[in-house]
């Protein structure tokens, strides 16, 4: 049975058993919320561990629609009841709506950047290789900060490990498309492609867990299958290097224990007690959309399975860890106007968070869930409570043609809503298709190349030490400062020892005064 059909049944239950949502009911709901809210206490422990989740393109309307899709209007996704929540302004240095690379630079490095650049500041314009080389124009990430504090670090993503969101964690460059050498202009030899920065440079080579897709950026791919094709939207490595072998050689030379896994069978065979470094590359391009992912032995793990594997390794660190998890395909589904795929990817992102909450101690682990930018999904009104979120809302009062609850403001040719009939432009009847199918593209008002990012604020949810620092409308680049302050890393690496120093001075002065006083009597 489809998830959304289950939802409808769940909603009929109160009606069937006669629960009325009258004033008594809502008063009780509100009283419970009040009790919960009054019970929240600020956690000012030092954050030993940090887990930062980014749902790419996960606008607030995407969260609402995914919640309804999964379990109905009154349910919550795994992170929605975190005690602290704020909003992030996502504009970057030169655009009102950012791309993923510049937004991730704000989220991970604390500095807003120009569109399509990563790990650099506003001194670097798109494609300006020369400006991206000096360290003055580069920015460190939370991975650098965590490693400098002796923490284990890792990231997992459903996209290529070299893609726009993870890139600023470990790479610096003037164009997010420079994932491998073949996409870079020949004359830009002072710049290193993103994949080589991950494998050869710091902090990439010191990252304990790297998991996602992107084999075509790391080596010359010879094997492709129907379920694991080459992504022809992106480049592929052609210089003969095998960066997976290079990664292994580096770990071997350091006498570290490591494992490279490329499918579910290999992932299942890992001996977590014995492994310190893990490289999991499960697809040539991005990991396939969850609805068509091959979950068999030769196939790919879910985001939840990758996250759990990463935590098993990182939790071994006595100094704590920092893990970044990206649900990267929410954005891809939206770009193609595939609402059903976007909602399922968001539910899978929630599953990864739910599993994480069962594996960490929130007294000492800061968990943040946010997004990099909004998207063009619109949640249209007037459908009945309990309706299939992917279905029809009602008939248009203008032309009597039905419209769907979810549509897009911008979209590509597959979202085209109008056709010409008798020399008139008329909207297509969405009832001619099954609008709940994963392959259906919802109608868009404006047709361009594809559905575009939105420029609205994104929500940020937090749990654990110093989660309360996220509490109002913030700039997006505030998030890594919260991480740094809570964990005493990066710009706040010495702040706890500073307070120790002050207390020592205080005790010292007290002793001096006491001695003077004592001597005096
Ligand atoms: C989280 O996982 C628990 C245990 O598997 C399950 O009972 C619960 O429904 C899940 N919650 C969400 C929001 O996924
Ligand atoms: C291609 O697949 C074959 C058979 O599974 C395997 O032995 C070989 O190592 C693969 N080659 C590469 C470059 O991955
Ligand atoms: C793989 O997916 C199928 C179909 O959704 C499901 O029945 C099966 O339990 C899954 N297997 C694993 C190992 O997750
Ligand atoms: C459509 O409009 C064109 C130009 O105005 C006209 O020549 C043609 O007859 C019209 N066709 C119909 C079916 O009304
Ligand atoms: C609707 O179905 C038709 C026939 O299968 C298909 O060609 C078309 O692409 C579908 N439209 C959308 C928007 O998915
Ligand atoms: C913290 O102290 C160390 C050692 O004195 C120093 O090298 C480092 O630069 C300091 N970090 C910050 C952010 O002040
Ligand atoms: Zn994005």
């Amino acid at each position: 049975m489809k998830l959304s059909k289950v939802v409808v049944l769940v909603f009929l239950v109160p009606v069937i058993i006669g629960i009325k949502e009258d004033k008594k009911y809502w008063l009780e709901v509100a009283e419970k919320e009040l009790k919960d809210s009054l019970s929240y206490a600020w956690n000012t422990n030092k954050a030993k561990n940090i887990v930062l989740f980014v749902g790419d393109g996960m606008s607030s309307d995407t969260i609402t629609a995914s919640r309804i899709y999964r379990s109905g209007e009154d349910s919550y996704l795994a992170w929605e009841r975190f005690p602290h929540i704020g909003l992030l302004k996502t504009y970057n240095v030169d655009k009102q709506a950012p791309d993923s690379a510049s937004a991730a630079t704000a989220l991970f490095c604390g500095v807003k950047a120009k569109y399509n650049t990563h790990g650099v500041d506003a001194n670097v314009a798109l494609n300006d290789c020369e400006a991206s080389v000096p360290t003055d124009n580069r920015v460190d990430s939370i991975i650098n900060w965590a490693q400098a504090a002796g923490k284990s670090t890792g990231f997992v993503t459903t996209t290529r490990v070299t893609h726009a969101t993870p890139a600023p964690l470990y790479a610096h460059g003037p164009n997010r498309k420079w994932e491998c050498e073949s996409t870079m202009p020949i004359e830009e030899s002072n710049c290193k492609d993103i994949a080589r920065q991950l494998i050869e440079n710091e902090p990439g080579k010191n990252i304990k867990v790297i998991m996602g897709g992107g084999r075509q950026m790391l080596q010359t791919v010879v094997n492709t299958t129907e379920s694991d094709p080459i992504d022809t939207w992106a480049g592929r490595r052609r210089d003969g290097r095998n960066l997976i072998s290079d990664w292994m050689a580096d770990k071997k030379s350091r006498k570290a224990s490591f494992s490279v896994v490329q499918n579910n069978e290999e992932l299942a065979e890992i001996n977590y007690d014995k492994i310190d470094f893990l490289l999991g590359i499960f697809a040539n391009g991005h990991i396939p959309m969850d609805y068509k992912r091959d979950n068999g032995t030769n196939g790919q793990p879910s985001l939840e399975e990758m996250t759990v594997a990463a935590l098993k390794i990182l939790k071994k660190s006595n100094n704590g860890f920092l893990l970044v998890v990206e649900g990267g395909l929410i954005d891809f589904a939206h770009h193609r106007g595939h609402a059903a795929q976007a909602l399922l990817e968001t539910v899978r992102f929630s599953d990864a968070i739910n599993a994480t909450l069962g594996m960490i101690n929130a007294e000492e682990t800061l968990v943040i869930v946010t997004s990099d930018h909004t998207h063009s999904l619109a949640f249209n009104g007037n459908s009945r409570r309990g309706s299939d979120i992917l279905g029809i809302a009602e008939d248009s009062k203008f032309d009597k043609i039905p419209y769907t609850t979810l549509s897009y403001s911008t979209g590509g040719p597959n979202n085209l809503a109008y056709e010409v009939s008798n020399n008139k432009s008329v909207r297509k009847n969405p009832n001619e298709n099954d609008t709940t199918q994963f392959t259906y593209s919802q109608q868009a008002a404006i047709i361009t190349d594809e559905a575009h990012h939105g420029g609205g604020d994104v929500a940020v949810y937090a749990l654990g030490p110093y989660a309360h620092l996220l509490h109002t409308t913030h700039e997006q680049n505030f998030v890594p400062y919260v991480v740094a302050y809570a964990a005493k890393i990066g710009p706040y690496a010495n702040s706890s020892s500073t307070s120790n120093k002050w207390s020592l001075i205080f005790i010292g002065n007290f002793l001096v005064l006491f001695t003077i006083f004592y001597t005096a009597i």
Side-chain angles (χ1 to χ4, degrees):
M1 189 157 31
K2 269 190 39 269
L3 258 176
S4 42
K5 295 276 157 54
V6 179
V7 167
V8 174
L9 286 182
V10 167
F11 270 92
L12 289 174
V13 170
V15 178
I16 292 162
I17 62 176
I19 295 175
K20 262 208 313 247
E21 292 186 353
D22 57 8
K23 61 183 172 187
K24 178 167 173 291
Y25 171 84
W26 290 113
L27 185 67
E28 278 166 16
V29 168
E31 271 179 350
K32 190 180 174 304
E33 292 244 5
L34 186 66
K35 223 173 122 198
D36 288 350
S37 298
L38 289 169
S39 75
Y40 292 147
W42 287 6
N43 176 341
T44 54
N45 297 337
K46 181 171 162 181
K48 181 183 179 194
N49 313 307
I50 300 102
V51 193
L52 174 51
F53 289 93
V54 182
D56 201 306
M58 189 179 69
S59 57
S60 286
D61 283 349
T62 304
I63 295 173
T64 309
S66 302
R67 172 207 300 156
I68 295 172
Y69 174 75
R70 180 179 167 277
S71 298
E73 289 88 347
D74 64 352
S75 69
Y76 298 97
L77 296 172
W79 69 87
E80 290 194 272
R81 297 292 285 165
F82 282 10
H84 301 284
I85 175 168
L87 291 174
L88 303 178
K89 299 197 280 176
T90 64
Y91 71 92
N92 69 12
V93 169
D94 54 356
K95 296 244 192 194
Q96 286 181 331
D99 82 298
S100 296
S102 57
T105 303
L107 270 180
F108 301 149
C109 309
V111 172
K112 293 202 180 198
K114 289 187 173 158
Y115 200 74
N116 283 346
T117 69
H118 56 276
V120 292
D121 75 5
N123 288 312
V124 179
L126 183 64
N127 292 326
D128 188 350
C129 168
E130 291 314 312
S132 74
V133 176
T135 46
D136 269 0
N137 295 345
R138 295 183 163 198
V139 288
D140 283 345
S141 78
I142 51 178
I143 295 256
N144 295 84
W145 302 344
Q147 286 182 1
K151 294 189 188 300
S152 289
T153 55
F155 74 87
V156 307
T157 175
T158 45
T159 68
R160 296 187 293 271
V161 295
T162 50
H163 197 249
T165 300
L169 288 170
Y170 58 81
H172 313 272
N175 190 330
R176 55 180 274 179
K177 295 211 173 94
W178 295 4
E179 283 177 74
C180 63
E181 91 301 338
S182 72
T183 54
M184 287 174 56
I186 303 282
E187 64 275 14
E188 305 295 14
S189 55
N190 283 342
C191 278
K192 212 187 234 194
D193 63 70
I194 295 170
R196 280 185 61 202
Q197 291 191 60
L198 173 61
I199 304 299
E200 298 173 0
N201 290 12
E202 289 184 350
K205 62 196 285 195
N206 299 327
I207 296 176
K208 294 264 171 76
V209 180
I210 300 171
M211 277 193 275
R215 194 181 295 115
Q216 72 190 65
M217 301 300 174
L218 298 167
Q219 63 173 88
T220 306
V221 170
V222 293
N223 291 338
T224 64
T225 62
E226 202 179 318
S227 64
D228 187 19
I230 294 285
D231 183 349
T232 53
W233 286 55
R236 57 190 293 188
R237 184 158 290 277
R238 297 181 190 279
D239 61 4
R241 285 176 205 263
N242 185 332
L243 298 179
I244 296 180
S245 303
D246 291 356
W247 182 90
M248 292 197 278
D250 173 62
K251 307 308 169 254
K252 210 173 275 173
S253 74
R254 296 200 231 173
K255 305 215 176 344
S257 54
F258 62 89
S259 186
V260 171
V261 293
Q262 308 214 36
N263 59 37
N264 281 328
E265 188 173 24
E266 291 170 9
L267 182 64
E269 281 165 6
I270 291 177
N271 181 341
Y272 290 96
D273 293 335
K274 294 230 171 87
I275 296 298
D276 290 327
F277 284 85
L278 173 62
L279 178 62
I281 302 295
F282 301 104
N284 291 320
H286 303 306
I287 289 182
M289 288 288 172
D290 203 77
Y291 85 94
K292 60 176 181 185
R293 177 174 59 88
D294 170 6
N295 69 356
T297 49
N298 287 322
Q300 302 90 8
S302 65
L303 186 63
E304 175 183 350
E305 288 162 337
M306 289 193 286
T307 304
V308 167
L311 285 168
K312 282 186 188 165
I313 292 193
L314 297 175
K315 278 178 74 174
K316 296 195 294 177
S317 160
N318 291 330
N319 278 327
F321 64 83
L322 179 140
L323 172 64
V324 175
V325 178
E326 187 204 12
L329 302 179
I330 303 166
D331 173 79
F332 279 84
H334 277 331
H335 275 305
R336 286 151 189 71
H338 291 314
Q341 294 183 29
L343 303 195
L344 181 63
E345 291 300 321
T346 307
V347 170
R348 294 294 173 243
F349 180 66
S350 174
D351 291 343
I353 294 163
N354 198 33
T356 300
L357 296 176
M359 291 177 74
I360 54 108
N361 174 358
E363 284 303 306
E364 58 171 26
T365 306
L366 172 63
V367 183
I368 297 177
V369 179
T370 189
S371 177
D372 52 351
H373 51 75
T374 67
H375 232 290
S376 41
L377 181 77
F379 188 150
N380 306 306
N382 295 352
S383 46
R384 285 180 62 84
R385 173 90 175 267
S387 298
D388 190 329
I389 187 68
L390 293 165
I392 302 292
E394 61 174 18
D395 290 351
S396 156
K397 295 194 174 57
F398 171 67
D399 55 19
K400 312 287 184 290
I401 296 169
Y403 65 92
T404 50
T405 303
L406 299 182
S407 68
Y408 285 86
S409 52
T410 54
N414 52 339
N415 304 94
L416 190 60
Y418 290 86
E419 59 196 353
V420 175
S421 169
N422 293 331
N423 269 1
K424 269 175 65 185
S425 175
V426 291
R427 193 161 54 81
K428 295 180 195 170
N429 186 338
N431 261 334
E432 284 166 13
N433 287 71
D434 180 352
T435 61
T436 67
Q437 290 284 306
F438 285 117
T439 50
Y440 178 71
S441 296
Q442 272 70 13
Q443 297 181 340
I446 299 165
I447 299 304
T448 167
D449 52 342
E450 59 175 9
H452 286 182
H453 293 176
D457 295 348
V458 294
V460 56
Y461 305 76
L463 172 79
Y466 290 98
H468 53 276
L469 295 181
L470 293 159
H471 66 112
T472 180
T473 307
H474 303 282
E475 292 290 356
Q476 188 167 40
N477 67 306
F478 176 58
V479 172
Y481 285 84
V482 172
V483 169
Y485 189 84
K488 305 287 176 266
I489 61 174
Y492 300 99
N494 299 332
S495 60
S496 72
S497 50
T498 311
S499 64
N500 285 346
K501 191 175 76 195
W502 283 113
S503 52
L504 281 180
I505 290 170
F506 177 78
I507 291 168
N509 285 345
F510 177 77
L511 284 178
V512 170
L513 285 175
F514 183 78
T515 314
I516 293 170
F517 176 72
Y518 189 79
T519 327
I521 57 168

